[in-house]
Amino acid sequence: MRQRLSVETYTKGVLAGDRSTLSRAITVMESSLPEDRKLAGAILQNILPYTGNSVRIGITGVPGVGKSTFIEAFGSYLTSLGKRVAVLAVDPSSKQSGGSILGDKTRMEKLARDPDAYIRPSATNLSLGGVARHTREAILLCEAARYDIVLVETVGVGQSETLVKGMTDFFLLLMLSGAGDELQGIKKGIMEMVDAVAVNKADNGNEPAVTNAVAEYRQALHLFPETASKVPVQVVACSALENTGMELIWNLISDYFAQTTKSGFLEQNRQFQRIEWLREQIRQSLEDRFYENEWVQKHIASADEAVRNGEKLPEDAAGELIEMFLRSGNAFNG
Amino acid sequence: MRQRLSVETYTKGVLAGDRSTLSRAITVMESSLPEDRKLAGAILQNILPYTGNSVRIGITGVPGVGKSTFIEAFGSYLTSLGKRVAVLAVDPSSKQSGGSILGDKTRMEKLARDPDAYIRPSATNLSLGGVARHTREAILLCEAARYDIVLVETVGVGQSETLVKGMTDFFLLLMLSGAGDELQGIKKGIMEMVDAVAVNKADNGNEPAVTNAVAEYRQALHLFPETASKVPVQVVACSALENTGMELIWNLISDYFAQTTKSGFLEQNRQFQRIEWLREQIRQSLEDRFYENEWVQKHIASADEAVRNGEKLPEDAAGELIEMFLRSGNAFNG
């Protein structure tokens, strides 16, 4: 393992916007080793007052929709406006495929060389809960490093959309024309999460189909209930390949940000997200403490055995183990 | 609330196969009141030796595929063979729609009147975790009441398929012809869960389309990795409306059961499911104990407040609350 720096070095480097220190700090966040978690907590505590100042944008869409090309085009447009842009990826599937680490950067060549952009590929070998925690922490670090816009890309596998929705201010769905939403493998419920739909690949003679798709999605969205933000969901066309629609998309995000700042929804939503994060953290820490407990470790095998054989009900076995765990609390942790 | 019976009355009634007592016992399982949970535990403890003897079949498919008609036809076919059939429904969405209680029975008129069939509509107002627990418990009760086959129907919303897959021996996916799997809103990953696909509505001139669809699904399934059971996934045509294909489907399930009994997979899988149930139960009970704890209840509001305002990190707040909870363990529970 690469050597860790001091809390002060991480803090100063991140606050100075140093990309190399930022990367090393995010690596600390990705670790679940107890000493790294302690270090992570100390760094986060220091930078916490400097967080919360970015526009957090979640971006999703099925494979093939052109997410990387879009982020390259959109990110470059934003840096051309003088914005500093960070790109994070949430890809719980990379555990299996393992191919995303290099993938992200090579697919965003131009943005990767842009001094005002920071691209952090997906961490591998993390549970969904692990991905959730460290991505939230990475957002805070990027904000402390004065990135104005944080783009969180998700591959849309399993529950990753819900996860990204829960840590961003604005959720953008990329779609293709020439296919119903179901045909694109879009999971039920995702349309209810989005703040905008961008129909990509309005290029190479595909423009009329995209125009039709935009009209269809607009129509379809009328059937959905009003969003919590009360800002109507926008549907626009774009071409990541030809760099069109980027200004339009940024304008609608800016408008959304202005409206929800004024209405108070933006801050309400962030407060809600922090509480949700706390609840998840409690759930995770309770389980960690339980399974690390000496008494539990000593007795869980026989409990498992009785349940496995159908001799004991899971609820009874769980109850006994938890009683044991709680009684041992003072002895081991007090 | 309707008055509860004694543990003995529930036990005897269920073991005697009395449908009214079975229903009342399942109602006890659906309750989360502490006294009902205690009663539920006592009943389950009594009936546990009489469980495990059914064929547990999960059935899923998008709305419109004809699930109710299929279950009516398939269930009636099974009772005609002298089998006793129980039908349970997992519908986490019924919380919102609220319409499933009457729905299930009226949509299965014939089966509902069959003395060898028992239909239990979805419980309403339950969390996904609550649905999971009580459905597993209801399966055990149905087995103790000597039902040979338990059909667990799921509407396929959210995670309900994974849940039903985790409590059944055999998972059947109902499909329609004339549409790619994506077009039917089938969630990614579901094809990897199924043991058989039945293409329904092979009737009214639709037969050629169904034959094509069967061939296509067979082709597509070649691309999937071998199932854990090592039994190849079967694809068949059926018409719930015209009662065709029922024998075929039952035969392939019987074959599956015979093969996996012989290979040991059936029992291995059930053991695995019991351990998963235990893990879920531990997670749920830990959270319940935490949030019910007096110290936690006294201090969580201020912790929430500090997290909500962004003054404190969720991980730190969670850590402090859990420390408090564990230290208070002996005083309150010891």
Side-chain angles (χ1 to χ4, degrees):
Chain A
M1 189 199 297
R2 198 166 163 189
Q3 220 191 310
R4 299 303 187 209
L5 310 172
S6 71
V7 176
E8 290 66 35
T9 311
Y10 283 116
T11 307
K12 272 190 197 160
V14 168
L15 291 179
D18 177 62
R19 289 206 281 192
S20 150
T21 313
L22 175 61
S23 286
R24 295 186 66 175
I26 294 179
T27 302
V28 175
M29 306 299 140
E30 288 168 358
S31 166
S32 55
L33 296 173
E35 58 271 31
D36 281 336
R37 286 314 301 153
K38 222 178 135 184
L39 180 57
I43 299 167
L44 289 167
Q45 197 59 54
N46 282 346
I47 57 113
L48 198 56
Y50 306 95
T51 62
N53 303 315
S54 81
V55 179
R56 302 167 180 170
I57 304 171
I59 300 179
T60 192
V62 294
V65 77
K67 269 199 303 294
S68 299
T69 318
F70 176 83
I71 291 173
E72 164 109 329
F74 189 55
S76 301
Y77 170 75
L78 293 173
T79 59
S80 80
L81 298 180
K83 309 277 184 194
R84 282 165 55 81
V85 179
V87 180
L88 305 172
V90 168
D91 180 5
S93 72
S94 62
K95 201 194 278 190
Q96 280 87 45
S97 65
S100 307
I101 289 200
L102 290 173
D104 284 346
K105 282 209 179 181
T106 51
R107 278 179 295 132
M108 300 181 201
E109 268 184 58
K110 192 181 158 203
L111 200 61
R113 281 183 277 107
D114 190 324
D116 287 325
Y118 171 76
I119 301 179
R120 176 73 180 193
S122 318
T124 48
N125 295 315
L126 284 171
S127 66
L128 198 66
V131 169
R133 195 205 60 213
H134 91 76
T135 308
R136 285 193 179 102
E137 293 171 346
I139 292 174
L140 297 180
L141 288 170
C142 290
E143 290 178 341
R146 287 175 288 109
Y147 285 95
D148 306 296
I149 294 154
V150 180
L151 304 178
V152 187
E153 176 195 5
T154 173
V155 290
V157 172
Q159 295 185 270
S160 60
E161 277 123 348
T162 313
L163 207 133
V164 171
K165 169 80 179 170
M167 56 178 75
T168 52
D169 303 315
F170 188 93
F171 202 47
L172 175 67
L173 172 65
L174 293 182
M175 296 283 265
L176 291 177
S177 64
D181 47 353
E182 289 148 322
L183 200 72
Q184 293 186 40
I186 284 300
K187 290 193 301 184
K188 302 263 170 214
I190 189 157
M191 284 305 259
E192 278 135 273
M193 283 186 201
V194 303
D195 298 301
V197 177
V199 186
N200 193 19
K201 304 198 181 176
D203 45 48
N204 292 311
N206 198 31
E207 294 85 345
V210 169
T211 306
N212 278 341
V214 167
E216 276 173 32
Y217 288 129
R218 278 186 189 150
Q219 197 83 32
L221 280 163
H222 282 301
L223 305 171
F224 285 90
E226 194 182 39
T227 57
S229 70
K230 309 234 188 266
V231 182
V233 177
Q234 303 288 321
V235 185
V236 297
C238 71
S239 164
L241 200 67
E242 299 187 347
N243 239 321
T244 57
M246 299 303 136
E247 185 178 356
L248 191 63
I249 293 169
W250 174 240
N251 284 345
L252 73 87
I253 296 176
S254 300
D255 282 352
Y256 176 92
F257 212 72
Q259 284 184 60
T260 54
T261 301
K262 200 175 162 214
S263 73
F265 177 79
L266 186 82
E267 181 52 27
Q268 270 169 41
N269 188 44
R270 285 191 173 185
Q271 291 185 354
F272 174 79
Q273 290 178 344
R274 289 186 202 114
I275 293 292
E276 286 297 294
W277 183 5
L278 172 61
R279 297 285 171 270
E280 276 172 47
Q281 194 62 57
I282 287 171
R283 180 163 42 241
Q284 191 53 57
S285 301
L286 280 171
E287 282 193 80
D288 291 348
R289 293 294 290 263
F290 176 83
Y291 288 106
E292 288 160 6
N293 181 277
E294 286 190 44
W295 283 52
V296 171
Q297 291 195 343
K298 209 185 278 178
H299 293 93
I300 198 158
S302 64
D304 278 3
E305 189 58 21
V307 168
R308 191 179 290 116
N309 297 338
E311 288 158 22
K312 193 173 264 187
L313 286 160
E315 188 161 1
D316 294 340
E320 288 165 22
L321 287 169
I322 286 166
E323 220 45 69
M324 218 179 266
F325 167 61
L326 293 178
R327 277 166 205 267
S328 76
N330 272 7
F332 286 93
N333 311 299
Chain B
M1 193 199 297
R2 199 165 163 190
Q3 222 191 307
R4 299 302 187 211
L5 309 171
S6 71
V7 176
E8 290 66 35
T9 311
Y10 283 115
T11 305
K12 273 190 196 159
V14 168
L15 291 178
D18 177 62
R19 289 207 280 191
S20 149
T21 313
L22 175 60
S23 286
R24 294 185 66 174
I26 294 179
T27 302
V28 175
M29 306 299 141
E30 289 168 357
S31 165
S32 55
L33 294 174
E35 59 270 33
D36 281 336
R37 288 314 304 152
K38 222 178 136 185
L39 179 58
I43 299 167
L44 289 168
Q45 198 58 55
N46 283 345
I47 58 116
L48 198 56
Y50 307 95
T51 63
N53 304 315
S54 82
V55 179
R56 302 167 181 172
I57 304 172
I59 299 178
T60 191
V62 293
V65 77
K67 269 199 304 293
S68 298
T69 318
F70 176 83
I71 290 172
E72 164 110 331
F74 189 56
S76 300
Y77 170 76
L78 294 172
T79 60
S80 81
L81 298 180
K83 308 276 184 196
R84 282 164 55 78
V85 179
V87 180
L88 304 173
V90 167
D91 180 5
S93 72
S94 64
K95 200 195 276 190
Q96 280 87 47
S97 65
S100 308
I101 289 200
L102 290 171
D104 284 347
K105 284 210 177 180
T106 52
R107 278 179 297 133
M108 300 181 201
E109 268 185 57
K110 192 182 158 204
L111 200 61
R113 279 181 278 109
D114 190 325
D116 287 325
Y118 172 76
I119 301 178
R120 176 71 180 194
S122 319
T124 49
N125 294 315
L126 284 171
S127 67
L128 199 65
V131 169
R133 195 204 59 216
H134 92 77
T135 307
R136 286 194 179 100
E137 292 171 347
I139 291 174
L140 298 179
L141 289 170
C142 289
E143 290 178 342
R146 288 175 287 108
Y147 285 94
D148 306 295
I149 293 154
V150 180
L151 305 178
V152 186
E153 175 196 6
T154 172
V155 289
V157 171
Q159 295 184 269
S160 59
E161 276 122 349
T162 313
L163 206 135
V164 170
K165 169 80 179 169
M167 56 177 77
T168 52
D169 303 314
F170 187 94
F171 201 47
L172 176 67
L173 172 64
L174 293 183
M175 296 284 265
L176 290 178
S177 64
D181 48 351
E182 290 148 320
L183 201 72
Q184 292 185 43
I186 284 301
K187 290 193 302 183
K188 301 264 168 216
I190 190 154
M191 283 307 257
E192 277 135 275
M193 285 188 202
V194 303
D195 298 301
V197 177
V199 186
N200 193 21
K201 303 198 181 176
D203 45 48
N204 291 312
N206 198 32
E207 294 85 345
V210 169
T211 306
N212 278 340
V214 167
E216 276 174 32
Y217 289 129
R218 278 185 188 150
Q219 196 82 31
L221 280 163
H222 282 301
L223 305 172
F224 286 89
E226 194 182 38
T227 57
S229 70
K230 310 235 188 262
V231 181
V233 176
Q234 302 288 321
V235 186
V236 297
C238 72
S239 164
L241 200 68
E242 298 186 349
N243 240 323
T244 57
M246 299 303 135
E247 186 179 355
L248 192 62
I249 293 169
W250 175 238
N251 285 344
L252 73 89
I253 295 175
S254 301
D255 281 351
Y256 176 93
F257 213 72
Q259 286 185 58
T260 54
T261 300
K262 201 176 162 212
S263 72
F265 177 79
L266 187 81
E267 182 52 25
Q268 269 168 40
N269 188 43
R270 285 191 176 187
Q271 290 185 353
F272 173 78
Q273 291 178 344
R274 288 187 202 113
I275 293 292
E276 287 296 294
W277 182 5
L278 172 60
R279 296 285 173 269
E280 277 173 45
Q281 194 63 56
I282 287 171
R283 181 163 39 240
Q284 190 56 56
S285 301
L286 280 171
E287 283 194 79
D288 290 349
R289 293 295 289 262
F290 176 82
Y291 288 106
E292 286 160 7
N293 180 278
E294 286 189 44
W295 281 54
V296 171
Q297 292 196 343
K298 210 186 278 181
H299 293 93
I300 198 159
S302 63
D304 278 3
E305 189 60 19
V307 168
R308 192 180 289 118
N309 296 338
E311 289 158 21
K312 192 173 264 185
L313 285 161
E315 189 160 0
D316 295 338
E320 290 165 22
L321 286 169
I322 285 166
E323 221 43 70
M324 219 179 267
F325 167 62
L326 293 177
R327 277 165 205 266
S328 77
N330 272 8
F332 287 92
N333 312 301

